[in-house]
Each structure stands twice: as structure tokens, then as C-alpha cells.
Amino acid sequence: MTQIRDFLTGDHRYCDALFAAVEAALADEDKARAAAAFSAFNEAMLAHFAAEESLLFPAFEAATGMCEGPTAVMRGEHRQMRDLLASAAAALAAGNSDDYLGDAETLLILMQQHNVKEENILYPMCDRQLGVGGETLVGALRESIIGASPVNAAEISSSEAAA
């Protein structure tokens, strides 16, 4: 049985790898590759946020009755990261690597702090509170995040195994 923590931690690692690919492309001064890598990273991050906000958080809130607790904090951090993603995308589109790297540095710090809270606090709480229903939820999260993309499925599955 795949737990919520395992699956979503694997997706965090997948997003981290996409993020690193943007920086590698910029280091190689390959703006086209950087733009493509950022597009994939942005899409993966937004899909992750959407799945948590539409599936995981409501299930957790329904099971616990906590609507202003950890899920409210995570939603707020998602908003901050969405703003940084938009700013980074604009900087990259304008060809301003320095502005992109500034946004990316802030985003990296926020992502690291956010992921630690989710992986060590929220996801284990979800696994405990949702019990057997968590396995069904993992299937819905997987479908929401991965959709029909076998490339993403393979990448996230290998990230899950490494987590």
C-alpha cells in the first residue's frame, strides 16, 4: 500500500529534479533549454498544489475538523510559491537571468521549508487520520498529478522509491 507521505514526497523529489534542470540549463547558458525546463517545473508544481488543495486538504479537514490548522498554513505557502513562480517565469521570459536566480533562490528556501513541514508533519497526520481511505486518495492524487503521462509516472515512481 502506497502511503500519502510516500507518494507526495516522491512528487516533491520529482519537482526538485525539474527545478535543478532549470539551473543547469542557465549555467550552460542554454536559454531555450532553461525555458523548457522551467515550463515543466512550473506545470509540475502547479499540479502538485492543485492536487493537495482539491483532494488532500479537504479530505484531511473533513476527517479532523481542522480547517484553520496545517492545511491553512500550506495553502498560504502555496500562494507565496505561485507568486514566486510567476515572477520567475516573467524574469526568464524577459531574459533576465539575475532576476530569475533571485526569485529561484527565494523559491528554493520556501520549497525546502514547506516540504519539510509536509513530509514530516502533515503527510504522516494524513496517513494516520485517513487510514484505509488514504490508499484511495493516493490513487486520486496520482491521477490528478500524473494524469496520462507515463514519463511523469515513471519519474515520480522512481522518486517514491528513493524517498
Side-chain angles (χ1 to χ4, degrees):
M1 175 175 106
T2 300
Q3 293 189 319
I4 292 164
R5 180 182 183 186
D6 296 336
F7 174 70
L8 290 174
T9 296
D11 194 43
H12 283 169
R13 299 301 163 265
Y14 174 68
C15 290
D16 292 345
L18 294 173
F19 187 60
V22 180
E23 288 206 20
L26 286 174
D28 292 342
E29 298 183 17
D30 187 339
K31 291 184 181 188
R33 195 171 96 228
F38 183 82
S39 179
F41 167 67
N42 190 48
E43 182 179 311
M45 289 290 288
L46 296 178
H48 182 91
F49 297 159
E52 286 182 339
E53 292 170 1
S54 67
L55 298 167
L56 180 66
F57 297 170
F60 176 79
E61 292 164 351
T64 65
M66 287 193 290
C67 295
E68 296 301 319
T71 55
V73 172
M74 296 300 104
R75 282 186 180 98
E77 291 179 4
H78 287 177
R79 280 189 295 277
Q80 290 177 304
M81 287 187 277
R82 280 187 183 99
D83 290 345
L84 283 165
L85 286 166
S87 181
L92 206 53
N96 191 330
S97 295
D98 288 340
D99 283 354
Y100 170 80
L101 291 171
D103 288 336
E105 183 176 350
T106 303
L107 182 59
L108 176 62
I109 293 166
L110 187 55
M111 285 182 351
Q112 289 173 333
Q113 293 171 349
H114 179 83
N115 291 353
V116 164
K117 288 182 262 188
E118 285 187 334
E119 293 168 14
N120 295 317
I121 300 169
L122 181 61
Y123 297 162
M125 287 173 69
C126 289
D127 282 325
R128 283 191 304 275
Q129 293 297 322
L130 300 174
V132 175
E135 188 169 350
T136 302
L137 183 58
V138 169
L141 288 164
R142 183 181 306 277
E143 182 61 31
S144 178
I145 291 171
I146 297 170
S149 174
V151 172
N152 288 355
E155 290 292 330
I156 293 172
S157 293
S158 67
S159 297
E160 282 178 59

